[in-house]
Structure formats: C-alpha cells, structure tokens
Amino acid sequence: MYSFVREPKWIVAHILALILLIAFVFAGVWQLGRHQNRIDRNDAVVDRENAAMLRDKDLFEPDDVIEFRIAKLNGVWSSDDVVLIRNRSHQDVAGCHLAVPLAISESRGVLVVAGWLHEASCTVEDFVPPAGEVSVTGRVRLSQSRGAMGARDRPDGVIATLARTDVARVDQQVSLSLAPVYVELISSNPPVADAIAVDRPPTDLGPHLAYAVQWFLFFAVGAVGYPLVLRRQAHKGNLEDLRDSA
C-alpha cells in the first residue's frame, strides 16, 4: 500500500518536507531567542535608568552595564566640532541626529546626541549652541560600529556627517579626548533650540513571540499534513489497483 514512498520522486519529496520542517523549528526557536533578548533588554533599560546617576568620570572607564544609565554632565558645547548622524527618523519623518562634543575640561569631552533635526535643517552651519556652561542630563549609549552591511564613512579627514554614532571616528577629528561612549540628551540647561529629544529606547516586546508561534504552526501543519498526503496517495493507489484487478 505504501510501496510508492520508496520511489525516487517521493524520496525527494520526503527530503524536502524534512528540510522544511527542520527550518520551521529553527526559525521558531530563533524568534523565541529574540523575544527573550528583547525582554532582557527592556529590563536593562528600566533597571539602569533607575540606578544611581553617573558623573563624567564614570564614562571614561565604562563597565559592561553602563548602557542606558543616566548621566549628569557639566561643560561647554564644542560648537566647532558638530557632526550630523544622517538617516535618522522621528515619527516616520526623515531627518538626522545632531551630535556635539561637550567639553568637560580643557582636554576631555563627551559626545552628546543633542536631538533630532528635520531633514530640511540637517546642516552643520545652522546649529548655534548656547554659549557658556551648560548642565546636561542624558542616557548613556554604546558607540556604534558598522556591521557586515551598511554605509561606510571615510576613514580619515574631517567629515560633517556620519552614517552612525561612531565615537571613535568623531574622536579622530576633534581636539578633545572623547569618552568611548556617547550620551543621548534628555534635558539641558540652557536648552538646545530646535532639536527634538531622541526617543527613549522602546520597551515593548515586539512581534517575535507572534512570529515564533507562526513558525511552530507551520511546523504543525507540515507534520500533520504531509502524512495525510502520503495516506491519500496510498489510498488513491489502492483504488487504482482494485480497478485494474477488476
């Protein structure tokens, strides 16, 4: 009755079905992993922003749990060293991030993402920071680097725009020695005009759990459906044998 399953075309079908079922399981497990990573990241965002506030000295020798901590800094904007981080959106509107070193001493500084600017305002020349000493409160973030894909920035010289918030690249073109992390501005006194504060890192769970369930449902459909296909084929072959014998 099931002798057909040993035919070459059916052996190929078995292999393809097995590969798909394995792929569905791996995809579901991968999405579960991403879901757990999102939970861990959300917990880190909430817990660390409620931790004790950091000072400027803490940013120059950061530990592994510094990201998302809140820091309070005092210094002077280095207006000659402004850079723009291109292709940054806010509420689905195109724009850029305004990044400005904050000089906390004559030789040291911290790169601060002072906010988001509309695409029409993304020019270095338009930014005039408040003069004199400023008090800044912001969220610590890790320096960004290019992955396997993505735009490349020129490795040397002075450039006005960057593809990402790469602190080491900015450090190359400024006179200050920058901390290896940067700060996303939450508030400042006096405030930075025209720049919209960068959104707080999202703490929603995202779609990963729903995707995992979807992949496991695909596996269940395949695991149940393929044997039914074989059974139907066997039943069809049995009927044909009965007609031939009649």
Side-chain angles (χ1 to χ4, degrees):
M1 185 174 180
Y2 284 94
S3 59
F4 70 93
V5 298
R6 294 190 294 272
E7 296 176 5
K9 66 178 182 180
W10 281 102
I11 291 176
V12 172
H14 304 333
I15 294 173
L16 290 176
L18 181 61
I19 291 173
L20 283 176
L21 290 176
I22 292 173
F24 292 156
V25 171
F26 271 97
V29 171
W30 177 62
Q31 288 293 346
L32 282 179
R34 296 191 69 187
H35 176 69
Q36 185 58 52
N37 291 340
R38 191 64 175 261
I39 292 175
D40 294 342
R41 183 179 186 274
N42 291 348
D43 290 343
V45 170
V46 175
D47 293 343
R48 294 178 190 176
E49 71 181 8
N50 292 325
M53 191 170 292
L54 300 174
R55 296 295 177 177
D56 50 32
K57 63 180 182 180
D58 300 317
L59 306 186
F60 286 87
E61 295 181 359
D63 56 30
D64 294 335
V65 294
I66 196 172
E67 188 173 24
F68 308 124
R69 295 278 300 273
I70 304 301
K72 187 175 181 61
L73 309 171
N74 294 306
V76 178
W77 294 117
S78 182
S79 57
D80 294 334
D81 298 318
V82 177
V83 293
L84 301 176
I85 315 302
R86 55 186 182 270
N87 298 327
R88 295 294 183 267
S89 62
H90 174 71
Q91 298 181 353
D92 297 326
V93 179
C96 63
H97 282 173
L98 176 68
V100 193
L102 181 73
I104 58 175
S105 70
E106 292 184 359
S107 60
R108 281 185 158 191
V110 176
L111 185 66
V112 177
V113 172
W116 175 86
L117 298 175
H118 189 278
E119 188 175 31
S121 302
C122 286
T123 57
V124 172
E125 294 78 9
D126 288 345
F127 175 67
V128 180
E133 185 165 327
V134 60
S135 178
V136 168
T137 301
R139 183 180 297 104
V140 178
R141 299 301 303 268
L142 302 182
S143 179
Q144 299 174 354
S145 59
R146 182 180 181 273
M149 301 178 64
R152 294 179 183 272
D153 291 317
R154 193 172 75 244
D156 50 20
V158 177
I159 52 178
T161 68
L162 297 173
R164 58 195 61 83
T165 314
D166 184 346
V167 178
R169 180 63 185 86
V170 178
D171 192 41
Q172 293 179 20
Q173 62 185 47
V174 300
S175 59
L176 296 169
S177 177
L178 297 180
V181 294
Y182 69 95
V183 170
E184 289 176 342
L185 182 67
I186 297 175
S187 64
S188 66
N189 183 26
V192 177
D194 301 325
I196 298 174
V198 176
D199 293 332
R200 177 178 182 263
T203 53
D204 62 284
L205 292 178
H208 305 300
L209 183 59
Y211 288 160
V213 172
Q214 184 181 58
W215 285 117
F216 290 136
L217 286 176
F218 288 160
F219 170 81
V221 170
V224 174
Y226 190 69
L228 291 178
V229 171
L230 296 179
R231 181 179 179 184
R232 181 178 179 183
Q233 183 65 26
H235 183 66
K236 179 180 177 182
N238 191 39
L239 291 177
E240 291 176 351
D241 290 343
L242 290 174
R243 282 198 298 266
D244 292 341
S245 62

